[in-house]
Amino acid sequence: MDFSFTKEQERLRQEVRDFLETKVTDGEFQVKSNGWVESHSQKFSKDMSRRGWIGMTWPKEYGGHNQSYIDRAIVMEEMLTYQAPIGFHFLADRQVGPAIIHFGNDEQKKTYLPKIINADISIAIGLSEPNAGSDLVSVKTTAMEQGDFYIINGQKVWTTGGHRADYIWCLVRTDLNAPKHKALSEFIVDVKTPGITVRPIINMAGVHSFNEIFFEDVKVPKENLVGPKNRGFYQLMAQVDYERAGLERLMQNYPLFKNLVEYAKKEKRNGNPLSKDPFIRNKLAELEVEYQVGRLFCYQVAWTLSQGRIPNYEAALCKAFCTQFEQRLSDAATRVLGLYGQLMPGSKYAPMDGDAADSYLWSVSYTIQGGTLEVLKNIVATRGLGLPVAKS
Amino acid sequence: MGFVFPEKYGGMEGSFLDLTVLMEEMGRACLPGPFFSTVILGGISLLEGGNEKQKERFLPKIAKGEIILTLAVTEVSGNYEPEGIETRSVKTEEGYTIDGTKLFVPDAHIADYILVAARTEEGKGNNGIALFIIDTKSPGITVTPLKTISGDKQCEVRFEGVKIKEDALIGGLNNGWSIIQKVWPKIVVARCAEMVGGAQEALGMTINYAKEREQFGSPIGTLQAVQHYCADMVADVDGCRYITYQAAWMLSCGLSCDKEVAMAKAWCSDAFRRVTAKGHQIHGAIGFTEEHDLHLYYKKAKTWELFYGDSNFHREIVAQQMGL
Ligand SMILES: Cc1cc2nc3c(=O)[nH]c(=O)nc-3n(C[C@H](O)[C@H](O)[C@H](O)COP(=O)(O)OP(=O)(O)OC[C@H]3O[C@@H](n4cnc5c(N)ncnc54)[C@H](O)[C@@H]3O)c2cc1C
């Protein structure tokens, strides 16, 4: 057992931190909870790319850096501490790239991986549909073969960053007769293809982060099919483990945590610092313990991946636990601040510029996006513990 | 508007218990508007503390919906203790001069009159506080709305050398806090009643959704995980209802019920919040959008949780009432 980082890893962490400090000092972005989801900067992603921080774990032959998942976790931990604007490359780096590496052909690897690594293209994820959320196997969007093309028709929804993406990674139905899970395929689709309409959805935090995307007779070349036809669902099941395990599920409102602790130390109520209030003291310490446990869950998954193994229930467990921590944090913050806890960004008197209230709104999504808390717990219970699956 | 006022002031002589029914419906509808500030905060305070002349002057107008009132107690300390009141009133020839800043004052930006708690004497705790009714058009008043999570309008109200006449004083000079204390349980319970309605509605929306929304070929309401959430939500909502009705009934009967009032707000603060959070969880992504109504309740639950003391604040009162 070894909980330490190597000297190189410590150096890497310091390098990332210096990089970020400079960016903040230069005013390139502001440290703010949920920043990594809200913000999107190709320039920032290009700067990261130049330092080798995109595609870190990918094979060298496609421009990757062949580093360990622990190294990637270190870079991510620093990025998330600052909530850096990594949205341009993030989804491609986290899940699309790995999916192409596992299931794509050589041509696809040569086409897409270097572009992702160089932050030339941004990719959104189009899995969910109005009637297929947790139940992804029910997607209705179809892709039908026609000569050298597939013709896509249907609708995706909740597509994060779809309005700024160059490509959408789509799960679609390619066989209308086969059993559902043997009828799905994955495509990478150029958003500029005629017939695609992207419409904004405003979330309850008042932000345009996700979209609905309509496909009307969208003609996609056959070479955009990733992996064998009708194997999409099986491919997907392997991919979501990458989506589930990252530190981004623990740290989406990390600046709030850090600032709240500082606030409690400085701010006085009836002459005493807030941090001396028994309730607040206990709450903050409790959150710290939970945070540190969550961090270990995340690093454990990264370590498993770094050993060349796919995490099993651990990824689901990690996300289930960590997102609940984030939710408890934002709720606790509003209460520690009392009446000030309901003040939004931009309001006079808002402590931490309204980060507590704002994060309380965002926190609704933490336990829904990327697999709901309940679905994750089901996975822990059935896949992890071997409990029997209910007959439906 | 004049529901609980005596007939001679244009009211209907309704009981406080009846009023809570009205509040519950307003909460259910997530009603925006200055009813709470005008009737509960302004009207009931005048009814409890005002002299005959003041009642005759203001209550009929409130009953007719002609004027909007609000109450300004809390200041930068952000609490509901007399120690938090630093706004000062100084006696002058014709009346008083008011200086200070009030915070989180509901609907002050549209109010015609604000009832203001101000300190008359330093170092006298709750004995050195007076309550005044002040015309918001008086020179020296600046109102700045704050940006809150639920989008309701709470304001900063600054008083700079605001001159008021003798007749603006409500009750005796150092009697302000005791009026506030008398009205306080009604304010708290009226808020709880709104929370009952809001929680009930969030529950109703969620149950309906769980019955309609299908995943994996069946309504999600067939899933035990979802069913258990719904069962938890019912316990929360029914709990809100009974503990609030109990306090409302006792208040209506004129019984002493400090503990019951505190228990009601302690429970409702947590329960309404939990209900809206679980409601969101069951709604999935659709609830995370602005076009769906659920977020209105989630946001209100947070504001109302923090207003008039959250569960910690009220559990402390319960502890004291238990002799701890
Ligand atoms: C902020 C945000 C960003 C998103 N970004 C993307 C994106 O970029 N791309 C994309 O494709 N999707 C995205 N999503 C969609 C997300 O993946 C879905 O919301 C999620 O999978 C749940 O689906 P649903 O919302 O339809 O809820 P449903 O599946 O309808 O679930 C409703 C409720 O039923 C419960 N439930 C369902 N099935 C079960 C079960 N078997 N056992 C127990 N409980 C169950 C759920 O847990 C939930 O509480 C995003 C969502 C959010 C909120």
Side-chain angles (χ1 to χ4, degrees):
Chain A
M1 201 174 298
D2 184 358
F3 281 78
S4 69
F5 295 107
T6 65
K7 279 225 170 58
E8 294 76 53
Q9 286 170 337
E10 297 289 6
R11 256 202 302 279
L12 173 65
R13 189 184 289 284
Q14 193 55 47
E15 193 191 337
V16 183
R17 215 172 271 179
D18 292 344
F19 168 84
L20 288 164
E21 279 295 336
T22 312
K23 295 271 181 205
V24 172
T25 316
D26 292 351
E28 241 183 75
F29 72 97
Q30 278 181 334
V31 182
K32 176 187 171 304
S33 293
N34 306 295
W36 80 267
V37 190
E38 282 186 68
S39 51
H40 203 262
S41 158
Q42 185 170 14
K43 177 185 180 303
F44 186 90
S45 293
K46 285 231 166 233
D47 287 347
M48 276 183 69
S49 166
R50 270 191 282 278
R51 286 177 165 71
W53 297 334
I54 302 179
M56 284 180 78
T57 59
W58 306 354
K60 282 224 158 94
E61 48 179 317
Y62 304 111
H65 302 283
N66 209 17
Q67 276 175 277
S68 84
Y69 276 87
I70 297 282
D71 293 351
R72 180 173 184 276
I74 289 168
V75 173
M76 277 309 296
E77 190 170 21
E78 294 307 312
M79 290 293 157
L80 293 163
T81 300
Y82 288 77
Q83 289 293 305
I86 54 180
F88 182 89
H89 71 271
F90 181 74
L91 293 173
D93 181 52
R94 178 179 73 182
Q95 63 199 98
V96 175
I100 292 175
I101 291 168
H102 282 289
F103 308 109
N105 57 37
D106 205 49
E107 199 49 43
Q108 288 166 336
K109 290 180 194 173
K110 281 191 196 135
T111 308
Y112 296 106
L113 296 180
K115 286 188 189 161
I116 295 174
I117 290 168
N118 294 329
D120 288 331
I121 55 172
S122 182
I123 307 179
I125 307 290
L127 305 176
S128 307
E129 296 184 6
N131 291 309
S134 301
D135 181 18
L136 274 180
V137 78
S138 295
V139 295
K140 288 203 181 79
T141 299
T142 54
M144 292 298 135
E145 264 184 275
Q146 201 179 85
D148 290 337
F149 294 88
Y150 279 90
I151 310 296
I152 303 188
N153 277 291
Q155 182 198 347
K156 293 291 169 184
V157 72
W158 319 126
T159 324
T160 300
H163 53 305
R164 297 187 283 212
D166 302 295
Y167 292 88
I168 315 170
W169 180 267
C170 281
L171 182 70
V172 295
R173 182 162 304 283
T174 37
D175 190 330
L176 299 180
N177 302 314
K180 279 184 181 176
H181 54 282
K182 291 183 180 159
L184 302 183
S185 304
E186 293 188 300
F187 283 87
I188 182 157
V189 181
D190 188 330
V191 180
K192 288 183 293 296
T193 321
I196 296 182
T197 316
V198 181
R199 285 207 202 129
I201 303 176
I202 307 301
N203 70 30
M204 63 180 266
V207 174
H208 173 200
S209 66
F210 50 26
N211 305 272
E212 47 186 348
I213 303 193
F214 298 88
F215 297 81
E216 214 177 319
D217 292 329
V218 177
K219 218 169 143 182
V220 177
K222 273 192 169 162
E223 61 260 28
N224 291 31
L225 169 66
V226 183
K229 186 178 168 186
N230 294 337
R231 291 291 301 167
F233 189 69
Y234 300 99
Q235 293 177 188
L236 185 72
M237 289 299 101
Q239 287 154 32
V240 286
D241 283 333
Y242 291 97
E243 181 178 346
R244 278 178 185 155
L247 283 148
E248 66 274 12
R249 303 306 190 184
L250 175 71
M251 299 179 72
Q252 189 158 332
N253 53 3
Y254 183 77
L256 175 62
F257 191 27
K258 214 171 134 207
N259 292 336
L260 183 66
V261 173
E262 289 314 308
Y263 184 88
K265 287 183 195 164
K266 282 202 209 100
E267 201 59 25
K268 292 196 170 154
R269 217 178 265 176
N270 302 331
N272 292 317
L274 284 180
S275 58
K276 298 289 176 213
D277 176 303
F279 161 71
I280 293 173
R281 236 181 134 64
N282 189 283
K283 199 79 216 164
L284 293 179
E286 184 177 77
L287 288 170
E288 175 68 12
V289 175
E290 289 175 2
Y291 176 79
Q292 295 298 344
V293 169
R295 183 173 181 263
L296 292 176
F297 281 155
C298 294
Y299 269 102
Q300 198 273 340
V301 172
W303 178 79
T304 305
L305 287 164
S306 74
Q307 303 297 302
R309 289 185 284 129
I310 301 269
N312 183 328
Y313 71 93
E314 293 94 334
L317 179 73
C318 178
K319 178 170 184 280
F321 178 85
C322 293
T323 52
Q324 289 182 91
F325 160 79
E326 294 175 320
Q327 242 167 24
R328 284 192 289 264
L329 164 61
S330 57
D331 177 44
T334 58
R335 280 190 272 167
V336 167
L337 300 177
L339 282 170
Y340 292 93
Q342 37 146 14
L343 295 181
M344 292 291 286
S347 177
K348 197 170 178 184
Y349 294 103
M352 312 170 221
D353 192 26
D355 213 7
D358 198 37
S359 174
Y360 185 67
L361 298 182
W362 278 96
S363 75
V364 165
S365 66
Y366 300 163
T367 51
I368 296 169
Q369 61 194 0
T372 67
L373 173 60
E374 296 68 39
V375 166
L376 298 173
K377 286 185 185 173
N378 289 348
I379 293 172
V380 174
T382 54
R383 211 204 297 167
L385 303 172
L387 293 172
V389 180
K391 283 198 207 86
S392 56
Chain B
M1 299 293 289
F3 194 64
V4 286
F5 299 166
E7 256 176 47
K8 61 174 171 173
Y9 305 124
M12 293 166 67
E13 313 235 331
S15 72
F16 181 74
L17 189 60
D18 295 338
L19 179 63
T20 56
V21 177
L22 204 61
M23 301 314 298
E24 185 177 326
E25 286 310 307
M26 290 184 189
R28 187 197 291 274
C30 240
L31 184 81
F35 184 92
F36 195 94
S37 42
T38 302
V39 173
I40 311 285
L41 300 179
I44 295 187
S45 298
L46 279 170
L47 203 56
E48 295 280 356
N51 58 34
E52 199 47 40
K53 245 174 113 181
Q54 289 165 333
K55 290 183 196 173
E56 274 168 13
R57 184 170 160 209
F58 294 106
L59 295 182
K61 285 195 181 149
I62 295 178
K64 283 198 206 123
E66 289 174 358
I67 51 172
I68 294 171
L69 270 69
T70 188
L71 172 68
V73 177
T74 303
E75 301 188 9
V76 283
S77 70
N79 67 22
Y80 298 98
E81 314 283 353
E83 292 75 31
I85 296 176
E86 288 172 7
T87 294
R88 295 188 40 87
S89 71
V90 176
K91 185 83 188 81
T92 60
E93 288 276 302
E94 319 83 74
Y96 304 88
T97 306
I98 310 289
D99 279 283
T101 302
K102 293 289 176 181
L103 281 187
F104 307 108
V105 187
D107 301 319
H109 65 305
I110 48 166
D112 300 291
Y113 297 92
I114 306 183
L115 280 69
V116 179
R119 192 153 283 292
T120 51
E121 272 181 72
E122 286 303 327
K124 287 193 71 182
N126 43 6
N127 286 324
I129 292 168
L131 197 60
F132 299 100
I133 180 158
I134 304 181
D135 188 329
T136 50
K137 289 183 292 299
S138 316
I141 298 182
T142 330
V143 178
T144 312
L146 306 173
K147 230 180 128 200
T148 68
I149 195 167
S150 59
D152 61 348
K153 289 291 182 292
Q154 303 166 31
C155 305
E156 176 205 54
V157 185
R158 293 168 70 108
F159 299 87
E160 282 163 306
V162 177
K163 300 212 176 339
I164 49 173
K165 297 247 166 62
E166 190 74 52
D167 66 357
L169 178 66
I170 302 175
L173 184 58
N174 289 325
N175 209 17
W177 194 254
S178 72
I179 299 172
I180 291 167
Q181 272 182 312
K182 247 196 260 166
V183 187
W184 171 260
K186 294 189 174 164
I187 295 175
V188 172
V189 174
R191 176 52 35 93
C192 288
E194 288 186 295
M195 297 172 94
V196 172
Q200 182 74 54
E201 187 64 16
L203 170 67
M205 286 164 83
T206 304
I207 304 293
N208 286 339
Y209 189 73
K211 289 179 184 165
E212 281 163 18
R213 170 72 172 170
E214 291 193 6
Q215 288 289 276
F216 304 100
S218 320
I220 56 171
T222 57
L223 298 161
Q224 212 163 50
V226 173
Q227 291 177 346
H228 285 191
Y229 281 157
C230 292
D232 291 344
M233 289 167 76
V234 176
D236 272 338
V237 175
D238 284 358
C240 283
R241 185 178 295 286
Y242 301 146
I243 198 113
T244 298
Y245 286 2
Q246 169 178 266
W249 176 81
M250 290 177 83
L251 273 177
S252 244
C253 297
L255 301 169
S256 100
C257 53
D258 289 349
K259 183 181 177 198
E260 285 74 13
V261 169
M263 290 196 303
K265 184 61 169 67
W267 179 271
C268 291
S269 292
D270 286 339
F272 188 19
R273 186 195 68 238
R274 282 193 297 253
V275 165
T276 55
K278 289 210 177 88
H280 269 296
Q281 190 60 29
I282 293 173
H283 274 81
I286 190 76
F288 188 58
T289 63
E290 266 189 353
E291 38 195 296
H292 198 283
D293 281 348
L294 188 59
H295 73 98
L296 300 173
Y297 294 85
Y298 180 82
K299 292 169 178 177
K300 270 275 184 274
K302 183 44 84 180
T303 287
W304 288 351
E305 173 190 16
L306 300 175
F307 248 82
Y308 309 124
D310 70 356
S311 58
N312 273 307
F313 177 93
H314 284 282
R315 277 194 293 262
E316 173 55 33
I317 298 174
V318 174
Q320 287 170 20
Q321 292 288 325
M322 292 164 70
L324 298 172

